[in-house]
Amino acid sequence: MSSARRRRERVLDHLTELQELPIGAPQPAFKERLRAELLSLAHEQDEPVTERAHRRRPARRRPLLSQLAAVGLVAAMMVSSFATYQAVPGDSLYPLKRAAETTLVRLSSGAERGERELDSAKTRAKEVATLLGSTTAEAPLINKTLKDMEESTRVGVERLERTEPRSPKIKKFARDQQEVVEPMLDQLGEADLARAEDYLDYIEGLVAPE
């Protein structure tokens, strides 16, 4: 495995761990591990290349630099997500949170990408719950977050069904989502209530006996 690929996978591992943390600021131990890892990456990138090696592999130099730049971008997004991790729709830093999440999804493939889409759907459900508990939340934000939750669910389920037919992960996801979404119904306006009920009907079909 190339060093650039190893760097990419190490950053992806950190992004995964960040997404799996409960809503709130990351723990100090995680921040310290990330700091040490990024310092290690910087040291590896600064290692000198001998003149002989430079002459032998001139064609690979530019692609390698491009890969390192991409890894650096992902790392920067990951670090910035610390400050945005508690953001909810409507917050000024919320787009950064979504950008980091989208990067994590796009760096994945196959069944793993489907699972990350479902993780995104669960995050949207928690955000709706948070918005409903706020006295300043606007109805359009709630409606948009419910819509994003539904879209991520459908994409994740379709991808998992293609890569892992009859995956038990889908049923577990559906049960978990029911527990989060059902308590919201009494707090939703008419339009949002209809969307949430349609969503519950959809995921109920995912846990129905085959």
Side-chain angles (χ1 to χ4, degrees):
M1 181 186 297
S2 68
S3 59
R5 183 175 178 183
R6 285 197 300 272
R7 295 186 187 104
R8 173 182 175 277
E9 292 190 353
R10 282 151 63 183
V11 172
L12 179 57
D13 287 343
H14 284 306
L15 277 169
T16 301
E17 186 175 356
L18 176 61
Q19 187 184 52
E20 292 174 352
L21 291 173
I23 291 178
Q27 296 298 313
F30 176 73
K31 291 182 180 180
E32 184 59 32
R33 288 203 310 276
L34 176 62
R35 178 179 178 277
E37 187 70 33
L38 293 178
L39 288 174
S40 174
L41 290 175
H43 175 72
E44 291 177 12
Q45 292 178 30
D46 289 339
E47 289 179 350
V49 179
T50 65
E51 183 178 354
R52 178 180 297 179
H54 181 74
R55 285 200 300 265
R56 275 204 314 264
R57 298 183 296 173
R60 297 185 59 186
R61 183 65 176 174
R62 182 169 296 177
L64 176 58
L65 290 174
S66 298
Q67 292 175 30
L68 294 180
V71 170
L73 175 60
V74 173
M77 292 178 67
M78 178 171 55
V79 172
S80 70
S81 69
F82 287 154
T84 66
Y85 202 67
Q86 291 180 314
V88 296
D91 291 347
S92 60
L93 295 178
Y94 184 70
L96 292 179
K97 175 181 177 180
R98 292 298 299 270
E101 182 181 291
T102 299
T103 298
L104 180 59
V105 171
R106 290 179 177 175
L107 284 174
S108 308
S109 60
E112 184 181 36
R113 184 162 183 169
E115 291 179 51
R116 296 195 192 287
E117 289 283 4
L118 297 185
D119 286 340
S120 294
K122 290 194 289 187
T123 299
R124 302 290 84 77
K126 292 175 183 177
E127 290 170 353
V128 172
T130 300
L131 289 172
L132 290 173
S134 171
T135 57
T136 60
E138 300 178 1
L141 291 177
I142 295 174
N143 187 272
K144 175 66 165 58
T145 308
L146 285 170
K147 181 179 178 181
D148 290 346
M149 176 185 71
E150 180 181 0
E151 290 178 351
S152 290
T153 297
R154 292 185 183 276
V155 171
V157 168
E158 290 172 2
R159 183 172 289 272
L160 267 181
E161 286 179 339
R162 288 198 306 268
T163 55
E164 293 185 9
R166 299 183 181 181
S167 172
K169 298 170 186 174
I170 295 176
K171 288 190 175 183
K172 183 180 185 307
F173 162 81
R175 294 191 184 99
D176 291 344
Q177 282 293 86
Q178 285 176 324
E179 293 179 0
V180 177
V181 176
E182 285 178 348
M184 302 176 184
L185 299 182
D186 293 338
Q187 301 173 267
L188 294 171
E190 185 176 349
D192 294 334
L193 176 60
R195 181 181 291 278
E197 288 178 336
D198 288 344
Y199 179 78
L200 287 171
D201 288 341
Y202 169 66
I203 62 175
E204 184 178 351
L206 299 176
V207 297
E210 298 180 359

